[in-house]
Amino acid sequence: MEVTMTNYKLSKAYADSSSAAYAAEAGLEIAKSEFNETLLLYLAQRAQNIIYNANPKVPRDFLYKSIYYFVQNYLDQAVFSKYPKSGYLGDGGQKYTVDMHMDSNYQGLQYTIHIYSQGEYKKTKKEGYARLIINLESPNPLTIAEWEIK
């Protein structure tokens, strides 16, 4: 009887841990989905327009900094202002909380996004972290540089 009870407790703990990890993963996915093809195409087109419509005498570094700050302000207003965000997955009690921000270090036309999530199920919590790189000069502008659940 004692072995059966121990096995039950282990199974339940594993199931709770898996449910919390799933909620943390869902939080990361929800935030990542903000950076969809439409948004990335829009940002790339705006960057190209700024470069092509600029006076040729304007230094490229100045143009890139202008684009960087435009993108930063746009993402602050259109994406980051929606976070932190919390919700539930269905009605099973799995809760996620997610937040994100962009590095403020100027890196040309490359942007680093940090996403943090927490999944909860009953009393079990799991943490998630993702680092996304957006490179507006690349034909595939979104790269997942890091993705982990702890």
Coordinates of all heavy atoms in Angstrom, one line a residue, residues 3-73:
V3 N 3.9 1.6 -1.2 CA 4.6 1.8 -2.5 C 3.6 2.4 -3.5 O 3.9 3.3 -4.3 CB 5.1 0.4 -3.1 CG1 5.5 0.6 -4.5 CG2 6.2 -0.1 -2.2
T4 N 2.3 2.0 -3.5 CA 1.3 2.5 -4.3 C 1.1 4.0 -4.1 O 0.9 4.8 -5.0 CB 0.0 1.7 -4.2 OG1 0.2 0.3 -4.4 CG2 -1.1 2.2 -5.1
M5 N 1.0 4.4 -2.8 CA 0.8 5.8 -2.5 C 2.0 6.6 -2.9 O 1.8 7.7 -3.4 CB 0.6 5.9 -0.9 CG 0.2 7.3 -0.5 SD -1.3 7.8 -1.4 CE -2.3 8.0 0.0
T6 N 3.2 6.1 -2.8 CA 4.4 6.8 -3.2 C 4.4 7.0 -4.7 O 4.7 8.1 -5.3 CB 5.7 6.1 -2.8 OG1 5.7 6.0 -1.4 CG2 6.9 6.8 -3.3
N7 N 4.0 5.9 -5.5 CA 3.9 6.0 -6.9 C 2.9 7.1 -7.3 O 3.1 7.8 -8.3 CB 3.6 4.7 -7.5 CG 4.8 3.7 -7.5 OD1 5.9 4.2 -7.4 ND2 4.5 2.4 -7.6
Y8 N 1.7 7.1 -6.6 CA 0.7 8.0 -6.9 C 1.2 9.5 -6.7 O 1.0 10.3 -7.6 CB -0.5 7.8 -6.0 CG -1.6 8.9 -6.1 CD1 -2.4 9.0 -7.2 CD2 -1.7 9.9 -5.1 CE1 -3.3 10.0 -7.3 CE2 -2.6 10.9 -5.2 CZ -3.4 11.0 -6.3 OH -4.3 12.0 -6.4
K9 N 1.9 9.7 -5.6 CA 2.4 11.1 -5.4 C 3.4 11.5 -6.4 O 3.4 12.6 -6.8 CB 3.0 11.1 -4.0 CG 2.0 11.1 -2.9 CD 2.6 11.1 -1.5 CE 1.6 11.1 -0.4 NZ 2.2 11.1 1.0
L10 N 4.3 10.6 -6.8 CA 5.3 10.9 -7.9 C 4.6 11.2 -9.2 O 4.9 12.1 -9.9 CB 6.2 9.7 -8.0 CG 7.3 9.5 -6.9 CD1 8.1 8.2 -7.1 CD2 8.2 10.7 -6.8
S11 N 3.6 10.4 -9.5 CA 2.8 10.6 -10.8 C 2.1 12.0 -10.8 O 2.1 12.7 -11.7 CB 1.7 9.5 -11.0 OG 2.2 8.3 -11.1
K12 N 1.5 12.3 -9.6 CA 0.8 13.5 -9.5 C 1.8 14.7 -9.6 O 1.5 15.7 -10.3 CB 0.0 13.6 -8.2 CG -0.8 14.8 -8.1 CD -1.7 14.8 -6.8 CE -2.5 16.0 -6.6 NZ -2.0 17.2 -7.1
A13 N 2.9 14.6 -8.9 CA 3.9 15.7 -9.0 C 4.4 15.9 -10.4 O 4.6 17.0 -10.9 CB 5.1 15.4 -8.0
Y14 N 4.7 14.8 -11.1 CA 5.2 14.8 -12.5 C 4.1 15.5 -13.4 O 4.4 16.4 -14.2 CB 5.5 13.5 -13.0 CG 6.0 13.5 -14.4 CD1 7.2 13.9 -14.8 CD2 5.1 13.1 -15.5 CE1 7.7 14.0 -16.1 CE2 5.5 13.1 -16.8 CZ 6.8 13.6 -17.1 OH 7.2 13.6 -18.4
A15 N 2.8 15.1 -13.2 CA 1.7 15.7 -14.0 C 1.6 17.2 -13.7 O 1.4 18.0 -14.7 CB 0.4 14.9 -13.7
D16 N 1.7 17.6 -12.5 CA 1.6 19.0 -12.1 C 2.7 19.8 -12.7 O 2.5 20.9 -13.3 CB 1.5 19.2 -10.6 CG 0.2 18.7 -10.0 OD1 -0.7 18.3 -10.7 OD2 0.2 18.7 -8.7
S17 N 3.9 19.2 -12.7 CA 5.1 19.9 -13.2 C 5.0 20.0 -14.7 O 5.3 21.1 -15.3 CB 6.4 19.1 -12.9 OG 7.5 19.7 -13.4
S18 N 4.5 19.0 -15.4 CA 4.3 19.0 -16.8 C 3.2 20.1 -17.2 O 3.4 20.8 -18.2 CB 3.9 17.6 -17.4 OG 4.9 16.7 -17.2
S19 N 2.2 20.1 -16.5 CA 1.1 21.1 -16.7 C 1.6 22.5 -16.5 O 1.3 23.4 -17.3 CB -0.1 20.9 -15.8 OG -0.7 19.6 -16.1
A20 N 2.4 22.8 -15.5 CA 3.0 24.1 -15.3 C 4.0 24.5 -16.4 O 4.0 25.6 -16.9 CB 3.7 24.2 -13.9
A21 N 4.8 23.5 -16.8 CA 5.8 23.7 -17.9 C 5.0 24.0 -19.2 O 5.5 24.9 -20.0 CB 6.7 22.5 -18.1
Y22 N 3.9 23.3 -19.5 CA 3.1 23.6 -20.7 C 2.6 25.0 -20.7 O 2.6 25.7 -21.7 CB 2.0 22.6 -20.8 CG 1.1 22.7 -22.0 CD1 1.6 22.3 -23.2 CD2 -0.1 23.3 -21.9 CE1 0.8 22.5 -24.4 CE2 -0.9 23.5 -23.0 CZ -0.5 23.1 -24.2 OH -1.2 23.3 -25.3
A23 N 2.1 25.5 -19.5 CA 1.6 26.8 -19.4 C 2.7 27.9 -19.6 O 2.5 28.9 -20.3 CB 1.0 27.1 -18.0
A24 N 3.9 27.6 -19.1 CA 5.1 28.5 -19.3 C 5.4 28.6 -20.8 O 5.7 29.6 -21.4 CB 6.3 28.1 -18.5
E25 N 5.4 27.4 -21.4 CA 5.7 27.3 -22.9 C 4.7 28.1 -23.7 O 5.0 28.8 -24.6 CB 5.8 25.8 -23.3 CG 6.1 25.6 -24.8 CD 7.5 25.2 -25.0 OE1 8.2 24.7 -24.0 OE2 8.1 25.5 -26.1
A26 N 3.4 27.9 -23.3 CA 2.3 28.6 -24.0 C 2.5 30.1 -23.9 O 2.3 30.9 -24.8 CB 1.0 28.2 -23.4
G27 N 2.9 30.6 -22.7 CA 3.2 32.0 -22.6 C 4.3 32.5 -23.5 O 4.1 33.6 -24.1
L28 N 5.3 31.8 -23.7 CA 6.4 32.1 -24.6 C 5.8 32.2 -26.1 O 6.1 33.1 -26.8 CB 7.6 31.2 -24.5 CG 8.4 31.1 -23.2 CD1 9.5 30.1 -23.3 CD2 9.0 32.5 -22.9
E29 N 5.1 31.2 -26.4 CA 4.5 31.1 -27.8 C 3.5 32.3 -28.0 O 3.5 32.8 -29.1 CB 3.7 29.8 -28.0 CG 4.6 28.6 -28.1 CD 5.4 28.5 -29.4 OE1 5.0 29.3 -30.4 OE2 6.3 27.7 -29.5
I30 N 2.7 32.6 -27.0 CA 1.8 33.8 -27.2 C 2.6 35.0 -27.5 O 2.3 35.8 -28.4 CB 0.9 33.9 -26.0 CG1 -0.1 32.8 -25.9 CG2 0.2 35.3 -25.9 CD1 -0.8 32.6 -24.6
A31 N 3.7 35.3 -26.7 CA 4.5 36.5 -27.0 C 5.2 36.4 -28.3 O 5.3 37.4 -29.0 CB 5.5 36.6 -25.8
K32 N 5.8 35.3 -28.6 CA 6.5 35.1 -29.9 C 5.6 35.4 -31.1 O 6.0 35.9 -32.1 CB 7.1 33.7 -30.0 CG 7.9 33.5 -31.3 CD 8.4 32.1 -31.5 CE 7.5 31.5 -32.4 NZ 7.4 30.4 -33.0
S33 N 4.3 35.0 -31.0 CA 3.3 35.2 -32.1 C 3.1 36.6 -32.4 O 2.6 36.9 -33.5 CB 2.0 34.5 -31.8 OG 1.3 35.2 -30.8
E34 N 3.4 37.5 -31.5 CA 3.3 39.0 -31.8 C 4.2 39.4 -33.0 O 3.9 40.3 -33.8 CB 3.7 39.8 -30.6 CG 2.9 39.7 -29.4 CD 1.6 40.5 -29.5 OE1 1.4 41.3 -30.4 OE2 0.8 40.3 -28.5
F35 N 5.3 38.7 -33.1 CA 6.3 39.0 -34.2 C 6.0 38.2 -35.4 O 6.9 37.4 -35.9 CB 7.7 38.8 -33.6 CG 8.0 39.6 -32.4 CD1 7.8 39.1 -31.2 CD2 8.3 40.9 -32.5 CE1 8.0 39.8 -30.0 CE2 8.5 41.7 -31.4 CZ 8.3 41.2 -30.2
N36 N 4.8 38.3 -36.0 CA 4.4 37.6 -37.1 C 4.9 38.2 -38.4 O 5.6 39.2 -38.4 CB 2.8 37.5 -37.1 CG 2.2 38.9 -37.1 OD1 2.6 39.8 -37.9 ND2 1.3 39.1 -36.3
E37 N 4.7 37.5 -39.5 CA 5.2 37.9 -40.8 C 4.7 39.3 -41.2 O 5.5 40.1 -41.8 CB 4.7 36.9 -41.9 CG 5.3 37.1 -43.2 CD 4.9 36.0 -44.2 OE1 4.6 34.9 -43.8 OE2 5.0 36.3 -45.4
T38 N 3.5 39.6 -40.9 CA 2.9 41.0 -41.2 C 3.7 42.1 -40.5 O 4.1 43.1 -41.2 CB 1.4 41.1 -40.9 OG1 0.8 40.0 -41.6 CG2 0.9 42.4 -41.3
L39 N 4.0 41.9 -39.2 CA 4.7 42.9 -38.5 C 6.1 43.0 -39.0 O 6.6 44.1 -39.2 CB 4.7 42.6 -37.0 CG 5.6 43.5 -36.1 CD1 5.0 44.9 -36.0 CD2 5.8 42.9 -34.8
L40 N 6.8 41.9 -39.2 CA 8.2 41.9 -39.7 C 8.3 42.5 -41.1 O 9.3 43.3 -41.3 CB 8.8 40.5 -39.6 CG 8.9 39.9 -38.2 CD1 9.3 38.4 -38.3 CD2 9.8 40.7 -37.3
L41 N 7.4 42.2 -41.9 CA 7.4 42.8 -43.3 C 7.2 44.3 -43.2 O 7.9 45.1 -43.9 CB 6.3 42.1 -44.2 CG 6.3 42.6 -45.6 CD1 7.6 42.3 -46.3 CD2 5.1 41.9 -46.3
Y42 N 6.3 44.8 -42.4 CA 6.0 46.2 -42.2 C 7.3 46.9 -41.7 O 7.7 48.0 -42.3 CB 4.9 46.4 -41.2 CG 4.7 47.9 -40.8 CD1 4.1 48.8 -41.7 CD2 5.1 48.3 -39.6 CE1 4.0 50.1 -41.4 CE2 5.0 49.7 -39.2 CZ 4.4 50.5 -40.1 OH 4.3 51.9 -39.8
L43 N 7.9 46.4 -40.7 CA 9.1 47.0 -40.2 C 10.2 47.0 -41.2 O 10.9 48.0 -41.4 CB 9.6 46.3 -38.9 CG 8.7 46.4 -37.7 CD1 9.2 45.5 -36.6 CD2 8.5 47.8 -37.3
A44 N 10.4 45.9 -42.0 CA 11.5 45.9 -43.0 C 11.2 46.9 -44.1 O 12.1 47.6 -44.6 CB 11.6 44.5 -43.6
Q45 N 9.9 47.0 -44.5 CA 9.6 48.0 -45.6 C 9.8 49.4 -45.1 O 10.3 50.3 -45.9 CB 8.1 47.8 -46.0 CG 7.9 46.6 -46.8 CD 6.5 46.3 -47.2 OE1 5.5 46.8 -46.5 NE2 6.2 45.5 -48.2
R46 N 9.4 49.7 -43.9 CA 9.7 51.1 -43.3 C 11.2 51.4 -43.3 O 11.6 52.5 -43.6 CB 9.1 51.2 -41.9 CG 7.6 51.3 -41.9 CD 7.0 52.5 -42.5 NE 7.5 53.8 -42.0 CZ 6.9 54.6 -41.1 NH1 5.7 54.2 -40.7 NH2 7.5 55.7 -40.7
A47 N 12.0 50.4 -42.9 CA 13.4 50.6 -42.9 C 13.9 50.8 -44.3 O 14.7 51.8 -44.5 CB 14.1 49.3 -42.3
Q48 N 13.5 50.1 -45.3 CA 13.9 50.3 -46.7 C 13.5 51.6 -47.2 O 14.3 52.3 -47.8 CB 13.4 49.2 -47.6 CG 14.0 47.8 -47.4 CD 13.3 46.7 -48.2 OE1 12.3 47.0 -48.8 NE2 13.9 45.6 -48.2
N49 N 12.3 52.1 -46.8 CA 11.8 53.4 -47.3 C 12.7 54.5 -46.7 O 13.0 55.5 -47.4 CB 10.4 53.6 -46.9 CG 9.4 52.8 -47.7 OD1 9.8 52.3 -48.8 ND2 8.2 52.6 -47.2
I50 N 13.0 54.4 -45.5 CA 13.9 55.4 -44.8 C 15.2 55.5 -45.5 O 15.7 56.6 -45.9 CB 14.0 55.2 -43.3 CG1 12.7 55.4 -42.6 CG2 15.1 56.0 -42.7 CD1 12.7 55.0 -41.2
I51 N 15.8 54.3 -45.8 CA 17.1 54.3 -46.5 C 17.0 54.8 -47.9 O 17.8 55.7 -48.3 CB 17.7 52.9 -46.5 CG1 18.1 52.5 -45.0 CG2 18.9 52.8 -47.4 CD1 18.4 51.0 -44.8
Y52 N 16.1 54.4 -48.7 CA 16.0 54.7 -50.1 C 15.5 56.2 -50.3 O 15.9 56.8 -51.3 CB 15.1 53.8 -50.9 CG 15.6 52.4 -51.0 CD1 14.8 51.3 -50.7 CD2 16.9 52.1 -51.3 CE1 15.3 50.0 -50.7 CE2 17.4 50.9 -51.3 CZ 16.6 49.8 -51.1 OH 17.1 48.5 -51.1
N53 N 14.8 56.7 -49.4 CA 14.3 58.1 -49.5 C 15.2 59.2 -48.9 O 14.9 60.3 -48.9 CB 12.9 58.2 -49.0 CG 11.9 57.4 -49.8 OD1 12.0 57.3 -51.0 ND2 10.9 56.9 -49.1
A54 N 16.3 58.7 -48.3 CA 17.2 59.6 -47.6 C 18.1 60.3 -48.6 O 18.4 59.8 -49.6 CB 18.0 58.9 -46.6
N55 N 18.5 61.5 -48.2 CA 19.6 62.2 -48.9 C 20.8 61.4 -48.9 O 21.3 60.9 -47.9 CB 19.8 63.6 -48.2 CG 20.8 64.4 -49.0 OD1 21.7 64.0 -49.6 ND2 20.5 65.7 -48.9
P56 N 21.5 61.2 -50.1 CA 22.7 60.4 -50.2 C 23.8 60.9 -49.3 O 24.7 60.1 -48.9 CB 23.1 60.4 -51.6 CG 21.9 61.0 -52.4 CD 21.1 61.7 -51.4
K57 N 23.8 62.1 -48.9 CA 24.8 62.7 -48.0 C 24.7 62.3 -46.5 O 25.6 62.5 -45.8 CB 24.9 64.2 -48.2 CG 25.2 64.7 -49.6 CD 25.2 66.2 -49.7 CE 25.6 66.6 -51.1 NZ 25.5 68.0 -51.3
V58 N 23.5 61.8 -46.2 CA 23.3 61.4 -44.8 C 24.0 60.1 -44.5 O 23.9 59.1 -45.2 CB 21.7 61.2 -44.5 CG1 21.5 60.7 -43.1 CG2 21.0 62.5 -44.7
P59 N 24.8 60.1 -43.5 CA 25.6 58.9 -43.2 C 24.7 57.7 -42.9 O 23.7 57.8 -42.2 CB 26.4 59.3 -41.9 CG 26.4 60.8 -41.8 CD 25.1 61.2 -42.5
R60 N 25.1 56.5 -43.3 CA 24.3 55.3 -43.1 C 24.1 55.0 -41.6 O 23.1 54.6 -41.2 CB 25.0 54.1 -43.8 CG 24.1 52.9 -43.8 CD 24.7 51.8 -44.7 NE 24.5 52.0 -46.1 CZ 23.3 51.8 -46.8 NH1 22.3 51.4 -46.1 NH2 23.2 52.0 -48.1
D61 N 25.1 55.3 -40.8 CA 25.0 55.0 -39.4 C 23.9 55.9 -38.8 O 23.1 55.4 -38.0 CB 26.3 55.3 -38.7 CG 26.3 54.8 -37.2 OD1 25.9 53.6 -37.0 OD2 26.5 55.7 -36.3
F62 N 23.7 57.1 -39.3 CA 22.7 58.0 -38.8 C 21.3 57.4 -39.2 O 20.4 57.4 -38.4 CB 22.8 59.4 -39.3 CG 21.7 60.3 -38.9 CD1 21.8 60.9 -37.7 CD2 20.7 60.6 -39.8 CE1 20.7 61.8 -37.3 CE2 19.6 61.4 -39.4 CZ 19.7 62.0 -38.1
L63 N 21.2 56.9 -40.4 CA 20.0 56.3 -40.9 C 19.6 55.1 -40.1 O 18.5 54.9 -39.7 CB 20.1 55.9 -42.4 CG 20.2 57.1 -43.4 CD1 20.4 56.5 -44.8 CD2 18.9 57.9 -43.4
Y64 N 20.6 54.3 -39.8 CA 20.4 53.0 -39.1 C 19.9 53.4 -37.6 O 19.0 52.7 -37.1 CB 21.6 52.2 -39.0 CG 21.8 51.3 -40.3 CD1 21.1 51.6 -41.4 CD2 22.6 50.2 -40.3 CE1 21.3 50.8 -42.6 CE2 22.8 49.4 -41.4 CZ 22.2 49.7 -42.5 OH 22.3 48.9 -43.7
K65 N 20.5 54.4 -37.1 CA 20.0 54.8 -35.7 C 18.6 55.3 -35.8 O 17.8 55.0 -34.9 CB 21.0 55.9 -35.1 CG 22.3 55.3 -34.6 CD 23.1 56.3 -34.0 CE 24.4 55.6 -33.5 NZ 25.4 56.6 -32.9
S66 N 18.3 56.1 -36.8 CA 16.9 56.6 -37.0 C 15.9 55.4 -37.1 O 14.8 55.4 -36.5 CB 16.8 57.5 -38.2 OG 17.6 58.6 -38.1
I67 N 16.3 54.4 -37.9 CA 15.4 53.2 -38.1 C 15.3 52.5 -36.7 O 14.2 52.1 -36.3 CB 16.0 52.3 -39.2 CG1 15.9 53.0 -40.5 CG2 15.3 51.0 -39.2 CD1 16.7 52.4 -41.6
Y68 N 16.4 52.3 -36.0 CA 16.4 51.6 -34.8 C 15.4 52.2 -33.8 O 14.6 51.6 -33.2 CB 17.8 51.6 -34.2 CG 17.9 50.8 -32.9 CD1 18.2 49.4 -33.0 CD2 17.7 51.3 -31.6 CE1 18.2 48.6 -31.8 CE2 17.8 50.6 -30.5 CZ 18.0 49.2 -30.6 OH 18.1 48.5 -29.5
Y69 N 15.5 53.6 -33.7 CA 14.6 54.3 -32.7 C 13.2 54.2 -33.2 O 12.2 54.2 -32.4 CB 15.1 55.7 -32.4 CG 16.4 55.6 -31.6 CD1 17.6 56.1 -32.2 CD2 16.5 55.0 -30.4 CE1 18.8 56.0 -31.5 CE2 17.6 54.9 -29.7 CZ 18.8 55.4 -30.3 OH 20.0 55.3 -29.6
F70 N 12.9 54.3 -34.5 CA 11.6 54.1 -35.0 C 11.0 52.8 -34.6 O 9.9 52.7 -34.1 CB 11.5 54.3 -36.6 CG 10.3 53.7 -37.1 CD1 9.1 54.5 -37.1 CD2 10.2 52.5 -37.7 CE1 7.9 53.9 -37.5 CE2 9.1 52.0 -38.2 CZ 7.9 52.7 -38.1
V71 N 11.8 51.7 -34.9 CA 11.3 50.3 -34.6 C 11.1 50.2 -33.1 O 10.1 49.6 -32.7 CB 12.3 49.3 -35.1 CG1 12.0 47.9 -34.6 CG2 12.3 49.3 -36.6
Q72 N 12.0 50.7 -32.3 CA 11.9 50.6 -30.8 C 10.6 51.3 -30.4 O 9.8 50.7 -29.6 CB 13.1 51.3 -30.2 CG 13.1 51.1 -28.6 CD 14.3 51.7 -28.0 OE1 14.8 52.7 -28.5 NE2 14.8 51.1 -27.0
N73 N 10.3 52.5 -30.9 CA 9.1 53.2 -30.5 C 7.9 52.5 -31.0 O 6.9 52.4 -30.3 CB 9.1 54.7 -31.0 CG 10.1 55.5 -30.3 OD1 10.4 55.2 -29.1 ND2 10.6 56.5 -30.9

